[in-house]
Structures are given as C-alpha cells and as structure tokens.
Amino acid sequence: MARPKILVVGAGFAGVECMRRLERRLGPAEAELTLVTPFSYQLYLPLLPHVAAGVLTPQSVAVSLRRSQRYRTRIIPGGAIGVDLKSKVCVIRDITDKIINERFDHIVLTPGSITRTFDIPGLAEHARGMKTLAEAAYIRDHVISQLDLADASQDEAERRSRLQFIVVGGGYAGTETAAYLQTLTCNAAKRYPRLDPSLIKWHLIDIAPKLMPELGERLGRNAQELLERRGIEISLGVSVARADDEEVTLTDGRVLPTRTLIWTAGVAASPLIGTLGAETAKGRLVVTPEMNVPGHEGVFALGDAAAVPDLAKGEDGAICPPTAQHAMRQGKAVADNVIAQLRGQPMQPYVHKDLGLVVDLGGSDAVSRPLGVELRGLPAQVVARGYHWSALRTGVAKTRVLTNWALNAVAGDDFVRTGFLSRRPATLRDFEYTNAYLTPEELAEHVAKATAAQVG
C-alpha cells in the first residue's frame, strides 16, 4: 500500500516543531513527509531587532533545517500559493518561479503571517517591515546609510530628515526595534564628528492608548518612561496619514521630515488562507481545539494563521495570541493529532497556559513578566535573554547567539554597511511576496487544468 502523504506548509516555530515530532514518532513506512518553505532554515523571529542593530549576525537566528543527516523529510524550496482542499492539492511556486502541484492526504498549514498594512497613501511604497531576515539586514544597512549620507551632506534640511527615524507599532516588535536601533545610532554618532547628536531623533508611534498593554499598567508605563529617558519620542493614539519619500504626515497633523519609516503595526494571516474557501475569524482560519479545520478531515492549521481556541483562559471565544510559545507547543500537539488520526486514535485538544512575556530593550534595559512576576532592569534582561537562548533549537544556534551577545558587550557596535539592495529602495512587497498568491478563481482553474491534463 502507498504511504499516506503528510504535507507541512511553513517552517516557522509551529511547522518545524510539528515536522520534527512527526519524524521522531512515525516510522518511515507509516508516512511520507514533505515540508514546503522558501528557505531551509527556521527563523527565530523575536531576535530580529538584534540583527537589525548588528548585535547578532543574521546566521545566528537562522537555524538550518539540514544540519542533521537523520532527518528524512523532503524539503520543497518554495512557497505555497494556493490549496485546494477538495482535490487535496497544494500549488507551490518554487524559488525558480516554477509551479508545482503537490498532492497530499494530510496537510498541516503553518504559513505564518505577513505585516498588516492599511490603505494609507504611500505606505506600501515607503515603509519597511521587520518580519523577515532580509528586512532586518536591509533596515540595518538603510539606517547606517542615513548616517553616512547625513555626514556627507552640506544641506542642513537634508541632514535633519536623514537623522529622524519613525517606527510605527507599539507592540513587542516595534518597541524592541526602536530601542535597539536608537542605541545603535546614538553609539554611532560618536564616530561621526561632523554630526550633531541632538539631531538624531527616534519616534515610536501607535494608535493604541498604551504601549504594550499586554504587559500590564505598571510594566507598560515603566517601559515607556525608560524609552523616553533615552530620548525616544513616544506618540500614542496617533498613526500615519500619509507617507512620502522625504516626510511622513501623522493623523494629528504633524509632518515629520524623515527618510526612514519602519512599519510594525501588527500582523495579518498569510494570504494563503484566503485561497482555501474555509471559514475565517478576523482573517485567521477557524479550527477546532484539536486544530482540525471543520468539515475537512486531515486538514490542520495552527500558529499565526489559525484562530486556535485558548482553552486555558476559560473564556468563551478566547483565541491563542500569535506568539512563539504557543506556536511551538501547537506544533507538537498537532503532530500528535495527525499521528492519532493516522492510527485511528482519538485526538486531543490543545491547552497551554501562557508563561508570561519578555521585552528586551538592549543593554541592561528590559521589562519581563514570567509566570506573572513583574521584573525590570538587569533581572528582567537576564530572564528575557535566557528565555530566547533556551528556545533556540540547536546547540550551534545557542553557541552563536551567546558568542555574539558576549562580543557585542565587550567590543561594542560596528557600523558597517553590506550594500544590501543599496541602489534600489525596497518595499514590503519585495520582502514578503504578498502578490504571489492565487485567487480562489485562479486556483480552481489551475487545478482543473492540471487534473484534465493528468486524465488526458
């Protein structure tokens, strides 16, 4: 008998944990395992601000999927652009733009999320995100290039605009990005004697009334006060009304001259979810507590792209937040449920009590709430970095990160540009490929043609 085909889409926290568990718990004769991912590494997303600031090298947070020879999963280098649940076909665009039709018996959807944007004039053309490794590397180059260009310029207005930086989004990604890059530019100013350090200004903007409300009233206020003491101007209840290449207009009427707009105002489920024709809740795929898509046996979804019920909260309609700790545990739980379904055993619902939050603001600055205990300063920093370090999947990754942190603490920052996309301004679409997905109509037509060709 042919082995059932299990297809996992996405190599984030959820996808990798699921695939590794399937490899360990299923015998080679029980199933054929395939993973679809554009890059053969697992990205440790929470440490991207460290990469953008040069504290960590890009390789440190990209954990290779091919380090061990014992893994038997077939990896397809590409991105899923459509899934036909009825025909059980996943349409994949590989990294050479070739279209592949991959059939499956069971599919685990962990396509993750993309940067959430709004219909704001100029946003798509002039904003950069913090969602991929390439974006973090690009932003580092871009920020340092603004210092270089400002130092070389004879025009005072140009200097001011190049030395003013805007981060939109008061969540963890935006707050940590602003904190780390502000530290980088302030340290860099000492190496640019022609620049007035007082001209370097960082703005952190969010439409919400509070910074990182998940931290609670006191810790959120402490984080805000700490950042303001470091010179970061925080504007709450405000967003971007318009973005241009040399200025940003805010909804309160202010016009800020700037060449740098970093957009981290939330995430949205991968556009792949829109091709399924299944029920969604606020863009995320509706699933049962077992992470099965209702009405579709053998179809599972988890992570950022799925509205997984949060049974640990005990509240009606509570959904698990899109965090790494949930994704990792969901990956293991859904692997067990796939195996249970294969072996005719009952599936188990996903239950996990949130362990708390950590926010690393650079140096000895941090706020954390592990298991409900509020920490700030050095103790919070130890907990934050300790959590991230322990969550890295391999010993090699742990060693690289620890070495980079130690080297940065001793030697300080460097201000080297690699020239990444230096001749052409990059957009969100360039990094996240949001225009690559099929519409439901295109998907149906493609599958119909492929089926007809196969029959013929």
Side-chain angles (χ1 to χ4, degrees):
M1 292 179 63
R3 294 179 299 167
K5 296 182 177 181
I6 301 175
L7 180 66
V8 177
V9 175
F13 291 108
V16 170
E17 290 295 333
C18 174
M19 185 55 72
R20 294 305 184 222
R21 200 170 184 92
L22 289 172
E23 287 178 324
R24 288 192 298 268
R25 300 199 171 186
L26 280 176
E30 287 188 271
E32 178 183 331
L33 304 178
T34 303
L35 175 66
V36 179
T37 175
F39 308 104
S40 58
Y41 61 75
Q42 178 191 14
L43 177 63
Y44 193 83
L45 199 66
L47 291 179
L48 280 186
H50 296 227
V51 175
V55 174
L56 297 178
T57 62
Q59 191 180 12
S60 301
V61 300
V63 184
S64 173
L65 301 179
R66 299 185 185 275
R67 287 199 63 86
S68 174
Q69 295 181 357
R70 68 185 176 89
Y71 297 135
R72 66 178 190 274
T73 299
R74 178 170 66 105
I75 299 176
I76 300 177
I81 58 174
V83 178
D84 188 311
L85 297 180
K86 185 178 179 182
S87 302
K88 292 199 169 184
V89 172
C90 179
V91 182
I92 301 164
R93 189 191 303 276
D94 76 8
I95 56 176
T96 67
D97 280 338
K98 178 183 176 183
I99 302 298
I100 300 169
N101 297 323
E102 186 71 19
R103 297 196 172 274
F104 59 85
D105 297 299
H106 300 263
I107 188 169
V108 178
L109 296 166
T110 69
S113 56
I114 60 172
T115 301
R116 181 181 63 182
T117 57
F118 301 94
D119 190 19
I120 298 172
L123 182 67
E125 294 79 17
H126 301 294
R128 284 91 179 179
M130 185 59 76
K131 203 79 178 70
T132 69
L133 192 59
E135 280 179 311
Y138 176 85
I139 285 174
R140 173 173 169 77
D141 266 19
H142 172 81
V143 168
I144 295 174
S145 72
Q146 299 313 299
L147 299 176
D148 289 343
L149 291 166
D151 182 67
S153 176
Q154 303 294 331
D155 186 322
E156 188 64 23
E158 180 186 353
R159 280 189 170 196
R160 289 181 180 277
S161 70
R162 291 197 182 279
L163 296 177
Q164 192 153 220
F165 306 90
I166 299 175
V167 179
V168 181
Y172 307 116
T175 302
E176 291 188 349
T177 296
Y180 265 88
L181 288 175
Q182 186 264 349
T183 299
L184 174 72
T185 54
C186 286
N187 291 338
K190 303 168 188 174
R191 307 300 177 94
Y192 292 85
R194 296 183 67 251
L195 292 184
D196 180 356
S198 67
L199 294 180
I200 299 176
K201 298 184 184 297
W202 281 86
H203 299 264
L204 180 57
I205 294 168
D206 194 32
I207 194 65
K210 296 178 182 178
L211 195 68
M212 295 182 292
E214 299 89 345
L215 281 173
E217 180 72 30
R218 187 163 53 179
L219 275 186
R221 186 173 63 251
N222 288 339
Q224 181 171 340
E225 291 171 353
L226 188 155
L227 294 176
E228 288 174 338
R229 283 198 301 270
R230 282 167 47 174
I232 298 176
E233 184 175 324
I234 298 174
S235 301
L236 300 174
V238 178
S239 189
V240 172
R242 181 181 182 84
D244 295 299
D245 55 351
E246 295 186 10
E247 65 181 26
V248 167
T249 304
L250 304 183
T251 52
D252 62 3
R254 282 182 292 162
V255 178
L256 303 178
T258 184
R259 311 294 178 98
T260 306
L261 174 60
I262 301 173
W263 183 269
T264 65
V267 296
S270 165
L272 179 68
I273 299 305
T275 72
L276 303 177
E279 184 184 357
T280 59
K282 295 183 179 179
R284 300 169 74 182
L285 197 61
V286 171
V287 296
T288 66
E290 294 76 23
M291 291 169 284
N292 186 223
V293 177
H296 299 280
E297 186 177 352
V299 179
F300 297 84
L302 57 155
D304 292 5
V308 179
D310 192 348
L311 301 184
K313 278 192 175 179
E315 300 173 8
D316 250 7
I319 299 299
C320 293
T323 60
Q325 64 171 292
H326 276 292
M328 293 168 72
R329 289 164 177 80
Q330 287 170 8
K332 294 176 181 178
V334 88
D336 290 341
N337 283 341
V338 171
I339 294 169
Q341 199 171 74
L342 278 173
R343 296 174 178 171
Q345 299 168 349
M347 297 187 295
Q348 299 300 317
Y350 170 74
V351 184
H352 168 63
K353 187 175 181 180
D354 199 292
L355 298 177
L357 308 165
V358 295
V359 183
D360 182 351
L361 301 175
S364 61
D365 293 333
V367 289
S368 301
R369 198 178 63 187
L371 302 174
V373 179
E374 294 189 353
L375 300 173
R376 59 187 64 81
L378 189 57
Q381 182 65 286
V382 171
V383 170
R385 292 201 173 183
Y387 172 79
H388 291 314
W389 184 82
S390 63
L392 291 164
R393 195 171 49 80
T394 68
V396 172
K398 285 179 165 69
T399 302
R400 282 186 178 138
V401 166
L402 201 59
T403 302
N404 282 182
W405 277 338
L407 183 62
N408 180 260
V410 173
D413 299 309
D414 67 73
F415 314 106
V416 176
R417 286 187 291 118
T418 60
F420 191 84
L421 284 180
S422 59
R423 296 295 180 184
R424 180 173 65 88
T427 66
L428 290 170
R429 181 177 293 178
D430 292 326
F431 291 112
E432 301 187 32
Y433 308 104
T434 53
N435 59 338
Y437 298 88
L438 299 176
T439 65
E441 295 75 23
E442 289 171 337
L443 175 62
E445 182 181 352
H446 175 83
V447 172
K449 284 182 180 178
T451 303
Q454 193 175 31
V455 172

